[in-house]
Amino acid sequence: MKCIYNFGIYCYKQLVALAGMRNAKARKLTQGQKGIFDYLSRKADPQGGYLWIHASSLGEFEQGRPLIEAIRKARPETRILLTFFSPSGYEVRKNYEGADLVCYLPFDLPGNVKRFLDLTRPTEAIFIKYEFWANYLNELKRREIPTYIISAIFRPNQIFFRFYGGYFRRILRNFTHLYIQNEQSRQLLAGIGITNVSVVGDTRFDRVSDIRRSAKELPLIERFAQGKKVLIAGSSWPKDEEFLIDYFNRRDDIKLILAPHEIHESHLLFIESLLKRPALRYTRATEAEVTACDCLIVDCFGLLSSIYRYGTLAYVGGGFGAGIHNIAEAAVYDLPVIFGPNHQRFKEAHELIACGGGFAIASSEEFDTTADRLLDNPEALATASHNAGHYISSHTGATRLILKDLFGIEA
């Protein structure tokens, strides 16, 4: 099985390189991989001693960020190596000041693994949520480097729990300890003989709470909202935008802030072609102009997590595609959150629905009905708002538990 696994990783590497001829993300990954060992040869301390933290992409980084920054604050002498696999994480956080070294993670091939660990010589390794690279985990175990995973969540359909998943079950045994999100994950792991686990919750809730506390003041957005009912659509895709804008066009009593997932010019023009009410792009708006428009298109990154504070109701995109984006980022501001049908993999979506702070829709008609019920019924809106905010506040604390157990740090 090991040979099959290594062959699969090698083929994946070649496919990424081939895809890079046409796909910008794949091209960035291929280019980034080429420079890893040169970067580490120049920048890494030959004595090693790094705390290695790996996040697959930007979402996982944000999930682990409270832990990184708490460690840095409590133990500033700790040297941190931060790695990413996806360009979406590395390109945004390659200059992150909370780490001493930031680079891509080399493909999980035996030669790469040994060279990477020889150059960095980590004393401990922490993986965030979903990363289970066999060669890395096997070699860390062989070198007796304590290895942990945080905010992990497991589901019955994962390969670890299938009859043919023996090789991958053995990979899990390389972890010194697993800090997991829920009781179901603990039971699944216990069923395959893995008991070195702690149920501590999800550090993502700590991160969104931190973001709320440090949210930016945005005078332009505040002027735009002016006490009106504001629907905020975050990380939207064309499928979302078609029915969102149609609804907005028919509701002249609400305003819309649209923060699309992609902000290239052709997509912005597509959005503008659907609008029948006055609209402006954020980067072109002034405080004098913004009061006269009904829709604000956020054509830049980095503001959405602060923009939610000015809303009445949130819609988070992705649910009609690969999966919903970050709904906790909106709910932390006491915003009821509507999202599409592809939310099965997201525990927080199920739990927000169960507590009455989140609402899943499968069609434009269901969106209209749900949005009308909340926007036209102050009591229903107030209840849903309370439920959303309370859900987030009641699930914080995972970072504190991990810090205390793993490092003896009282946060």
Side-chain angles (χ1 to χ4, degrees):
M1 186 63 191
K2 183 177 180 180
C3 292
I4 296 173
Y5 175 86
N6 288 337
F7 180 69
I9 297 293
Y10 175 79
C11 289
Y12 176 64
K13 177 184 176 183
Q14 301 308 313
L15 287 171
V16 169
L18 186 62
M21 297 174 66
R22 293 191 174 186
N23 183 278
K25 185 175 180 180
R27 185 161 55 251
K28 286 180 181 179
L29 177 56
T30 300
Q31 292 170 348
Q33 287 280 327
K34 291 178 180 177
I36 296 170
F37 294 118
D38 175 64
Y39 169 80
L40 292 175
S41 297
R42 291 184 292 105
K43 298 291 187 178
D45 187 332
Q47 300 301 312
Y50 292 96
L51 169 61
W52 171 29
I53 298 176
H54 176 66
S56 175
S57 64
L58 185 60
E60 284 73 26
F61 165 77
E62 291 296 330
Q63 205 161 10
R65 186 169 177 171
L67 185 67
I68 298 171
E69 295 183 353
I71 293 169
R72 181 66 94 188
K73 181 178 179 180
R75 297 185 177 177
E77 74 281 2
T78 301
R79 289 185 295 178
I80 294 175
L81 161 67
L82 175 64
T83 59
F84 292 97
F85 188 75
S86 168
S88 70
Y90 175 77
E91 293 298 329
V92 175
R93 295 301 178 195
K94 58 188 175 184
N95 297 316
Y96 176 58
E97 294 181 353
D100 297 275
L101 299 173
V102 183
C103 66
Y104 280 99
L105 181 71
F107 281 105
D108 188 29
L109 294 167
N112 285 346
V113 170
K114 291 177 181 177
R115 189 177 178 189
F116 175 82
L117 294 178
D118 286 344
L119 283 169
T120 59
R121 301 178 65 185
T123 55
E124 292 173 295
I126 297 175
F127 292 78
I128 302 171
K129 194 174 183 180
Y130 279 142
E131 293 293 86
F132 305 104
W133 297 112
N135 288 314
Y136 279 105
L137 292 172
N138 289 337
E139 187 65 15
L140 286 164
K141 178 76 170 182
R142 191 188 72 78
R143 297 188 185 206
E144 299 183 342
I145 297 171
T147 303
Y148 309 93
I149 190 165
I150 67 166
S151 294
I153 189 165
F154 294 90
R155 301 178 183 83
N157 62 353
Q158 287 175 303
I159 195 169
F160 311 111
F161 312 109
R162 302 294 181 90
F163 72 90
Y164 51 82
Y167 177 75
F168 296 94
R169 286 192 284 275
R170 288 192 292 274
I171 292 172
L172 291 181
R173 295 191 176 97
N174 289 319
F175 286 109
T176 307
H177 202 83
L178 298 90
Y179 294 94
I180 59 177
Q181 291 191 26
N182 58 13
E183 178 62 21
Q184 181 192 38
S185 295
R186 188 196 66 77
Q187 293 176 5
L188 286 169
L189 292 169
I192 58 174
I194 295 175
T195 57
N196 52 327
V197 305
S198 297
V199 180
V200 298
D202 188 350
T203 54
R204 182 184 302 183
F205 295 109
D206 299 317
R207 177 58 186 154
V208 295
S209 294
D210 289 345
I211 289 172
R212 174 171 179 162
R213 283 191 291 271
S214 60
K216 301 172 186 175
E217 296 284 345
L218 300 171
L220 190 71
I221 302 292
E222 185 174 10
R223 187 78 180 269
F224 171 80
Q226 283 190 332
K228 301 286 187 179
K229 295 177 183 177
V230 180
L231 170 63
I232 299 180
S235 303
S236 60
W237 291 82
K239 174 74 173 178
D240 306 308
E241 290 148 5
E242 288 176 0
F243 65 78
L244 286 167
I245 294 175
D246 178 63
Y247 179 81
F248 163 73
N249 285 335
R250 291 184 278 110
R251 290 278 312 233
D252 59 8
D253 61 325
I254 68 170
K255 289 194 168 189
L256 174 66
I257 297 177
L258 192 62
H261 184 70
E262 295 182 346
I263 57 172
H264 53 76
E265 183 64 18
S266 62
H267 188 199
L268 297 174
L269 290 172
F270 164 76
I271 291 169
E272 290 170 340
S273 73
L274 299 176
L275 288 162
K276 297 178 181 178
R277 296 171 61 190
L280 284 171
R281 297 187 189 185
Y282 181 85
T283 59
R284 298 178 182 176
T286 66
E287 288 192 39
E289 296 172 325
V290 80
T291 56
C293 78
D294 298 327
C295 175
L296 200 58
I297 304 167
V298 183
D299 56 341
C300 55
F301 293 121
L303 296 180
L304 180 59
S305 61
S306 294
I307 286 174
Y308 280 125
R309 68 188 295 182
Y310 299 100
T312 307
L313 175 66
Y315 176 89
V316 174
F320 287 91
I324 58 173
H325 294 285
N326 191 345
I327 59 175
E329 199 173 53
V332 73
Y333 291 104
D334 303 334
L335 284 191
V337 189
I338 304 174
F339 42 85
N342 193 357
H343 61 270
Q344 292 82 2
R345 295 183 293 109
F346 301 88
K347 179 176 73 75
E348 64 273 22
H350 294 284
E351 293 178 348
L352 268 172
I353 292 170
C355 78
F359 305 87
I361 54 104
S363 66
S364 61
E365 292 78 14
E366 288 186 12
F367 173 81
D368 290 357
T369 301
T370 303
D372 282 347
R373 185 172 73 250
L374 293 168
L375 291 172
D376 296 337
N377 186 331
E379 185 176 337
L381 179 65
T383 299
S385 298
H386 168 79
N387 292 341
H390 178 72
Y391 169 74
I392 300 296
S393 62
S394 65
H395 283 77
T396 58
T399 301
R400 176 179 52 81
L401 294 173
I402 295 169
L403 283 169
K404 184 176 182 180
D405 189 65
L406 195 53
F407 300 104
I409 295 173
E410 294 283 353

